[in-house]
Amino acid sequence: MTEQNGSIDPKFLDELLKDAKEPAQFESMFQSLKKALIERALGAELSVHLGYARGDAKPEGQSNYRNGASAKTVLTEEGPLSIEVPRDREGTFEPQLVKKGERRIEGFDEKVISMYARGMTVREIQGHLRELYGIEVSPDLISSVTDEVLAEVRDWQSRPLDPIYPVIIFDALRVRIRDEGIVKNKAVYLALGIGRDGQKDILGLWIEQSEGAKFWLKVMTELRNRGVQDVLVTLVDGLKGFPEAIATAFPQAQVQTCIVHLMRHSLDYVTWKDRKLVAAEIKAIYRAETAELTLERLVEFEQGLWGKKYPVISASWRRHWERVTPFFAYPAEVRRVLYTTNAIESLNMRLRKIIKNRGHFPSDEAATKLMYLALRNIMGTWIKPTREWKAALAQFAILFPERLAAVA
């Protein structure tokens, strides 16, 4: 069967596959070969354990001997595989290839984590494995597999960051999490950074029950401790205490109310049938060429049909006006990067799709685990730099030459 160098004899393979004509036949033969090899290896392990090979005489005075086999189904990369695990009379044999209590071969963990990251609950994964493979896997086993990712989360959350980010966008999603026996509506905050090369990256995620300067100062301090020395522009959603916390950690950073957040907040008050028309008028406001023209368009909106029907919109813009106007000092190339909705809206949409099937999470840890796995999948698709980034970076180099050069 094998040659001296340990490889499989080609003549053996030719004999094994001579009757195979279709792909299904090859797959079946491969599974049969895998089963035979696993069982042969287990038999060899038992021979070592007992001290004699099958067919040989039992050593004199030895009470332990072979005692049949037990059927067992294990998960492999190609699906379930039924094998026969040999037993010994005294029950002292502990196989190493397929250990006692083990129901999975290498690759199973990755599949479970992949399903979990795509939003399937533990019970759904259990049912999927039962229906697809005919195998019962306990919820505790699935949870233990996904728990293995927590160390990866800790490493990711503490990894070193770039010394400068031209743009960091802070965003939040509301997630229901059980805390002290009560299901609470908590915020999961994300920091989306755009590096000098234009590549997007999630710098971290934080779960906080209450918002305030103390919490945000902790986040900013963490970013500094991980290597961030400077941020040119931060985009925030107007949370109380946020600008002050940013100024403490990054005194030169410009704090800008995120146009996307302001737009999203404005449309929260608009009926579905009016949204498209109202959105078009709001876009005309923030796409104006100057701050003066923007204010004129805001006044026109206030006095028009939609402003009178939804007065809360113009009130919101005026309330944040001080943090909105710096946006209009930038050239068009930079402004397009700052108000583009693609990065934030796409991220939010994909995350909400993943968590929508869950009524709530049992703990902050469970929410963190799923959010991280989902983000890992999403970040894997971020291959290209931000659109028009080279033009924006050239403008940043003109506007902030010393700061960009200081950490080059």
Side-chain angles (χ1 to χ4, degrees):
M1 178 175 171
T2 59
E3 298 177 327
Q4 289 184 350
N5 62 6
S7 62
I8 298 177
D9 187 341
K11 292 181 180 179
F12 167 75
L13 292 176
D14 291 341
E15 179 65 24
L16 179 69
L17 301 174
K18 68 179 181 179
D19 295 324
K21 306 296 183 184
E22 301 294 333
Q25 291 176 296
F26 284 100
E27 185 177 337
S28 176
M29 287 186 175
F30 181 68
Q31 286 290 82
S32 297
L33 179 59
K34 183 188 292 186
K35 170 182 169 67
L37 289 173
I38 290 175
E39 291 178 347
R40 189 176 183 87
L42 290 171
E45 281 191 51
L46 181 57
S47 293
V48 172
H49 177 72
L50 295 175
Y52 69 99
R54 178 181 290 276
D56 291 349
K58 180 166 62 72
E60 186 175 348
Q62 180 169 306
S63 60
N64 201 10
Y65 54 88
R66 286 176 171 77
N67 188 34
S70 298
K72 184 174 185 176
T73 301
V74 293
L75 289 173
T76 71
E77 286 291 291
E78 290 73 31
L81 183 67
S82 297
I83 59 173
E84 296 290 321
V85 180
R87 299 192 304 254
D88 63 327
R89 179 66 179 84
E90 296 177 354
T92 57
F93 175 50
E94 293 279 355
Q96 297 303 303
L97 181 63
V98 183
K99 296 181 179 180
K100 284 186 177 180
E102 188 176 62
R103 291 288 178 180
R104 64 189 189 276
I105 303 297
E106 185 178 357
F108 172 74
D109 289 8
E110 288 76 7
K111 288 184 178 179
V112 170
I113 288 174
S114 176
M115 286 187 282
Y116 190 83
R118 283 163 174 76
M120 294 180 69
T121 65
V122 169
R123 296 292 179 182
E124 288 170 340
I125 295 172
Q126 184 186 30
H128 179 76
L129 294 173
R130 184 190 304 115
E131 292 172 11
L132 194 61
Y133 297 135
I135 289 180
E136 285 291 341
V137 179
S138 72
D140 288 342
L141 174 59
I142 296 171
S143 294
S144 69
V145 168
T146 57
D147 281 345
E148 292 173 9
V149 85
L150 289 175
E152 187 178 333
V153 174
R154 287 190 290 270
D155 290 342
W156 174 77
Q157 189 75 5
S158 60
R159 74 195 189 282
L161 299 175
D162 294 345
I164 187 169
Y165 286 89
V167 180
I168 297 182
I169 306 169
F170 293 94
D171 199 16
L173 291 109
R174 287 289 171 178
V175 179
R176 291 171 59 79
I177 302 174
R178 183 173 292 278
D179 186 0
E180 297 179 347
I182 302 173
V183 176
K184 300 179 180 179
N185 200 25
K186 293 189 177 183
V188 178
Y189 293 99
L190 305 172
L192 191 160
I194 303 178
R196 291 172 59 116
D197 57 0
Q199 292 290 348
K200 300 186 294 292
D201 187 20
I202 302 297
L203 309 184
L205 68 88
W206 301 266
I207 297 178
E208 183 65 12
Q209 189 170 324
S210 59
E211 301 157 358
K214 186 176 181 180
F215 166 70
W216 285 115
L217 183 58
K218 180 184 74 172
V219 172
M220 297 305 131
T221 302
E222 180 180 316
L223 293 177
R224 284 201 68 89
N225 290 341
R226 291 167 61 192
V228 182
Q229 300 173 24
D230 194 9
V231 184
L232 302 184
V233 181
T234 59
L235 301 179
V236 301
D237 63 356
L239 294 175
K240 184 178 180 181
F242 208 163
E244 293 78 10
I246 293 173
T248 300
F250 304 104
Q252 296 187 82
Q254 184 177 75
V255 181
Q256 166 78 49
T257 294
C258 179
I259 299 297
V260 175
H261 287 108
L262 199 52
M263 178 79 158
R264 186 193 302 162
H265 178 71
S266 298
L267 294 178
D268 282 343
Y269 301 97
V270 180
T271 62
W272 185 256
K273 67 182 182 67
D274 293 342
R275 277 198 168 198
K276 189 172 182 180
L277 295 171
V278 174
E281 291 210 14
I282 296 176
K283 285 180 181 178
I285 296 173
Y286 70 74
R287 287 183 175 175
E289 289 75 11
T290 64
E292 292 76 15
L293 184 55
T294 299
L295 184 57
E296 288 180 18
R297 290 184 179 175
L298 179 60
V299 172
E300 290 174 2
F301 178 85
E302 283 178 312
Q303 297 173 352
L305 171 65
W306 303 121
K308 291 179 179 178
K309 186 174 182 178
Y310 302 108
V312 68
I313 294 177
S314 55
S316 175
W317 279 74
R318 288 190 176 278
R319 190 166 56 253
H320 294 95
W321 194 247
E322 183 182 348
R323 296 290 182 186
V324 171
T325 50
F327 170 83
F328 300 101
Y330 290 112
E333 296 87 350
V334 174
R335 286 171 61 177
R336 279 194 288 271
V337 169
L338 298 184
Y339 74 54
T340 181
T341 63
N342 292 344
I344 306 171
E345 294 306 308
S346 175
L347 179 65
N348 273 285
M349 180 181 68
R350 295 176 70 175
L351 289 175
R352 287 193 177 98
K353 184 178 180 180
I354 287 167
I355 64 178
K356 70 177 182 179
N357 291 334
R358 299 171 185 272
H360 67 273
F361 290 93
S363 64
D364 287 2
E365 190 177 73
T368 299
K369 187 168 60 175
L370 176 63
M371 296 289 283
Y372 166 73
L373 290 170
L375 289 170
R376 188 178 67 177
N377 286 347
I378 293 170
M379 288 187 288
T381 67
W382 288 347
I383 300 173
K384 296 181 180 179
T386 302
R387 289 184 62 185
E388 302 187 60
W389 180 252
K390 287 187 177 180
L393 184 62
Q395 293 295 330
F396 279 129
I398 295 171
L399 295 167
F400 309 105
E402 297 84 3
R403 292 166 67 185
L404 283 174
V407 292

